[in-house]
Amino acid sequence: MTKPDTNENTLVVGFPSNGLVGTFSISYLIHYLKMNQIEEIEVPELPSTLFVEGGEILGPIRAYSKKNIFVIISDVPFNQYLAERFALAVHEFCKKYVIKKIVMISGMETINQQKDTSKIYGLVSHPSLENVLYNNKIMKFLDGSIFGTDAAIISVFRKTKIPVLVLYAECHPFFPDPEASIMAIVTLAKILDIQIDTKEIQSRIDKLRIQHRNLMEQTIRALQEQQEKQTRAPQIYR
């Protein structure tokens, strides 16, 4: 197997999902790599929301970059309607910055509470990324159905030439799960061929759980609303 081209522009996407895995993972990536904010992402009809951090006003959906790595992070969960608009906004971003592949990080609900045996699964939208799963020993997500923001992004990019790799980390569905996020960060670092030390996030696990309880509650409500629109309970969120 040939090693993937690490010089091409790669976009990493994270948003509130099960266990807040995407939110924790992408936030830490931005912090650790000292990435620079390059713009805010506009999503039509998204309710007006702003965050203040260290006296700085931030929009809810932001884009960052460092060399050839680009990041889009959302601090707000989406309903089904907004998820589709978010996916289209991500596509416009990819065209603007000539993105060649996307890595999306999300959480997979599990009844397994043994953190030392939690797993990462991968799903790719195009065969060109199969070797990334193989080279990094990532188990392939084989059965189930997907809804919400994950499905919206995959659906949009399946119709394009930009392949998507989704990393699903087994996590607790109802509580912030920084441990699952650490597992996702380590796997992401291998895919991007970069070095990331997770000691800082490991030292803040309990604080992160407390700080993000409200966001977890909002995310659960959004996921439940999306799931009610499905005819069958998706395996990855059961």
Side-chain angles (χ1 to χ4, degrees):
M1 293 287 183
T2 57
K3 189 174 182 179
D5 182 1
T6 55
N7 294 316
E8 62 186 13
N9 288 350
T10 300
L11 173 65
V12 185
V13 180
F15 45 83
S17 62
N18 280 328
L20 300 183
V21 172
T23 304
F24 285 142
S25 302
I26 304 305
S27 294
Y28 192 72
L29 179 70
I30 293 167
H31 166 75
Y32 188 83
L33 296 183
K34 296 180 172 58
M35 303 183 82
N36 298 311
Q37 183 175 334
I38 54 176
E39 63 177 87
E40 293 182 356
I41 304 298
E42 299 293 332
V43 173
E45 299 182 51
L46 180 71
S48 297
T49 306
L50 293 171
F51 297 92
V52 179
E53 185 175 299
E56 181 183 1
I57 300 173
L58 301 173
I61 310 172
R62 304 176 301 281
Y64 297 78
S65 69
K66 183 72 175 286
K67 296 182 179 178
N68 65 308
I69 300 174
F70 294 77
V71 162
I72 291 178
I73 182 169
S74 173
D75 289 326
V76 294
F78 301 109
N79 59 30
Q80 186 67 41
Y81 180 80
L82 292 175
E84 293 170 1
R85 278 143 187 79
F86 174 64
L88 293 173
V90 172
H91 183 226
E92 289 301 314
F93 179 91
C94 289
K95 290 192 292 184
K96 179 178 179 180
Y97 289 96
V98 196
I99 300 298
K100 295 300 182 181
K101 68 173 180 288
I102 297 174
V103 181
M104 184 167 66
I105 299 178
S106 193
M108 176 186 291
E109 177 181 335
T110 179
I111 58 174
N112 172 28
Q113 299 302 313
Q114 300 298 317
K115 294 300 179 184
D116 57 344
T117 58
S118 295
K119 299 179 178 65
I120 288 273
Y121 293 88
L123 180 67
V124 298
S125 66
H126 192 277
S128 62
L129 292 182
E130 291 281 356
N131 65 316
V132 178
L133 300 181
Y134 178 84
N135 292 342
N136 293 283
K137 299 180 180 178
I138 301 170
M139 291 178 290
K140 193 170 184 179
F141 176 51
L142 295 175
D143 297 291
S145 52
I146 304 170
F147 66 89
T149 310
D150 302 42
I153 292 177
I154 294 171
S155 296
V156 166
F157 283 93
R158 284 182 68 205
K159 302 170 186 176
T160 74
K161 295 181 179 180
I162 306 173
V164 179
L165 186 158
V166 189
L167 292 179
Y168 283 113
E170 287 187 331
C171 65
H172 197 293
F174 304 121
F175 299 102
D177 198 336
E179 290 99 335
S181 304
I182 291 171
M183 185 169 55
I185 291 167
V186 171
T187 304
L188 177 64
K190 293 178 182 177
I191 292 172
L192 298 178
D193 196 23
I194 58 177
Q195 298 294 321
I196 298 182
D197 190 335
T198 60
K199 288 180 182 177
E200 184 175 344
I201 191 173
Q202 289 173 352
S203 68
R204 299 179 59 222
I205 282 177
D206 291 334
K207 185 177 181 180
L208 287 170
R209 283 201 188 95
I210 295 171
Q211 283 180 328
H212 292 84
R213 283 182 300 186
N214 289 339
L215 177 57
M216 188 72 252
E217 291 173 1
Q218 296 171 20
T219 302
I220 290 171
R221 287 196 296 270
L223 290 172
Q224 288 173 340
E225 178 185 332
Q226 293 166 357
Q227 191 170 14
E228 287 172 359
K229 298 180 183 297
Q230 305 301 306
T231 57
R232 182 171 65 90
Q235 180 176 333
I236 61 171
Y237 288 133
R238 275 208 296 257

